[in-house]
Amino acid sequence: EVQLVESGGGLVRAGGSLRLSCATSGFTFDAYAIAWFRQAPGKEREGVSYISAIDGSTYYADSLKGRFTISSDNAKTVYLQMNSLKPEDTALYYCAAVFGNLERTVWGTISEYDFWGQGTQVTVSS
């Protein structure tokens, strides 16, 4: 059974940091890419960052570069380090997996992904 389980969300003040984790199981991790998405109330789900377990390529939403960092480890877990958090970062954060690599132009497309987690809530207070 494929599982992606997010954790690490919570309530933090503006300027603070959080590290989200996406623990994966049930598929060949090295053949997939993992992305983080987020969805704020009343807004569409948007791509945050992407990492390929195949070749290590990473992508970020332009507006988040420099504040967020994606990484993975040998335990098939993908992390999202979020620094200098702002109230507008408040959202439900999801991780998703896709078989193979995606190009830079499509990594943020929701329909490209095969599996999704349930999400972890991040709330940033002002």
Side-chain angles (χ1 to χ4, degrees), residues 3 7 15 17 31 45 47 65-66 76 94 104-105 108 110-111:
Q3 286 193 317
S7 62
S17 298
R45 194 172 298 189
K65 280 182 181 178
K76 304 180 182 180
Y94 300 89
R104 181 181 298 273
T105 54
I110 295 170
S111 60

Side-chain angles (χ1 to χ4, degrees), residues 35-59:
W36 285 97
F37 286 77
R38 69 184 183 183
Q39 188 166 17
K43 294 189 176 181
E44 293 186 354
R45 194 172 298 189
E46 62 176 354
V48 173
S49 187
Y50 162 107
I51 186 166
S52 169
I54 301 169
D55 62 11
S57 56
T58 59
Y59 304 132

Side-chain angles (χ1 to χ4, degrees), residues 6-104:
E6 302 95 336
S7 62
L11 174 63
V12 64
R13 289 189 174 184
S17 298
L18 283 174
R19 188 176 80 154
L20 305 184
S21 299
C22 173
T24 71
S25 61
F27 60 95
T28 305
F29 184 80
D30 292 345
Y32 281 73
I34 307 294
W36 285 97
F37 286 77
R38 69 184 183 183
Q39 188 166 17
K43 294 189 176 181
E44 293 186 354
R45 194 172 298 189
E46 62 176 354
V48 173
S49 187
Y50 162 107
I51 186 166
S52 169
I54 301 169
D55 62 11
S57 56
T58 59
Y59 304 132
Y60 294 90
D62 289 342
S63 62
L64 300 175
K65 280 182 181 178
R67 294 197 298 124
F68 289 13
T69 303
I70 195 168
S71 62
S72 64
D73 65 15
N74 292 334
K76 304 180 182 180
T77 299
V78 174
Y79 303 96
L80 184 70
Q81 178 67 41
M82 306 187 296
N83 298 327
S84 302
L85 283 162
K86 304 174 181 181
E88 51 264 42
D89 294 318
T90 295
L92 189 58
Y93 283 71
Y94 300 89
C95 61
V98 56
F99 179 75
N101 276 333
L102 294 178
E103 296 294 326
R104 181 181 298 273

